[in-house]
Amino acid sequence: MDSALASDHGAYGAHPDGGVYLRRTVRTAAKILIVGHFAVGKTTFVGSLSEIRPLRTEETMTQAGALVDDLAGIEGKTTTTVAMDFGRLTLSDSLVLYLFGAPGQQRFTRLWQDMTQGALGALVLADTRRLEQSFDVMGLLEEHGLPYAVAVNHFDGAPSHPEEEIREALDLLPETPLVTCDARDRISSTRALISLVEYLQTRTAAQEHV
Ligand SMILES: Nc1nc2c(ncn2[C@@H]2O[C@H](COP(=O)(O)OP(=O)(O)O)[C@@H](O)[C@H]2O)c(=O)[nH]1
Ligand SMILES: [Mg+2]
């Protein structure tokens, strides 16, 4: 053992199994889900934000998949997420987010059992051209008791509605944050995630005062 390590152990009184390293990195890691229907921009969002090369599990859509996935209006898309996207974003000195992008199609319901384990909350991406397609994913989050914020991912040519109309169409609770973003833009996507994290922090603080 070198002298620096030896003195660290002395200073922190830590077991020489590495616990000392955890104490010195005062970081909270939070697991956050990025969810939404087919082609809403999940892979793009995680890719824009991740500081590590995002792990993607995509495969070329098969004919069989094409029959199931609704391709109306998005004919150019030839791949779809079959499992999940994974990325990491350091939001501040004390907070690291692990991002799990996951499909909302009903046939992936089982994946949700695993994916929601340990997750703090979710960002639901929505598209104003197909708002009703967000209900499945919001329903799944509610079933799993996971708090969420909604980010409307703005696509070119998609109608923009007043916030109140979108809230009403999605039947959002008054406290559920609703923001807009461009999943291709890192700053815009980071802002959307910050709204979710702030919401989660407010909820935690409120629960601690009950
Ligand atoms: N115009 C526009 N296109 C986007 C945006 N986000 C994603 N896209 C495109 O929409 C398509 C579907 O996005 P993708 O991230 O693969 O969706 P996913 O199925 O939810 O992972 C891709 O061709 C993206 O380049 C956006 O904010 N604006
Ligand atoms: Mg994807």
Side-chain angles (χ1 to χ4, degrees), residues 135-201:
F135 283 123
D136 270 0
V137 88
M138 294 194 306
L140 282 168
L141 290 169
E142 282 159 21
E143 264 172 44
H144 288 87
L146 266 192
Y148 59 86
V150 177
V152 170
N153 184 21
H154 191 73
F155 286 85
D156 309 321
S160 31
H161 303 293
E163 180 179 331
E164 270 322 301
E165 281 179 26
I166 297 177
R167 285 192 164 280
E168 204 178 321
L170 291 176
D171 199 16
L172 298 185
L173 292 172
E175 67 264 26
T176 304
L178 174 66
V179 295
T180 53
C181 73
D182 182 332
R184 298 164 301 179
D185 182 79
R186 190 174 59 85
I187 293 173
S188 162
S189 301
T190 305
R191 275 202 200 109
L193 260 186
I194 289 173
S195 316
L196 169 66
V197 170
E198 285 176 350
Y199 174 56
L200 297 177
Q201 285 170 340

Side-chain angles (χ1 to χ4, degrees), residues 32-35 42 46 81 83-87 99-103 115:
I32 299 287
L33 310 184
I34 309 299
V35 294
K42 301 176 294 290
V46 174
T81 307
M84 55 173 65
D85 304 295
F86 176 72
L99 308 174
F100 290 75
M115 199 187 59

Side-chain angles (χ1 to χ4, degrees), residues 41-84:
K42 301 176 294 290
T43 300
T44 308
F45 189 94
V46 174
S48 298
L49 284 178
S50 188
E51 57 208 15
I52 54 174
R53 194 169 156 267
L55 180 68
R56 286 178 188 159
T57 48
E58 292 208 285
E59 77 178 23
T60 305
M61 214 159 31
T62 61
Q63 281 300 104
L67 290 174
V68 181
D69 292 315
D70 176 10
L71 284 167
I74 38 170
E75 289 80 7
K77 190 167 156 65
T78 52
T79 60
T80 187
T81 307
V82 291
M84 55 173 65

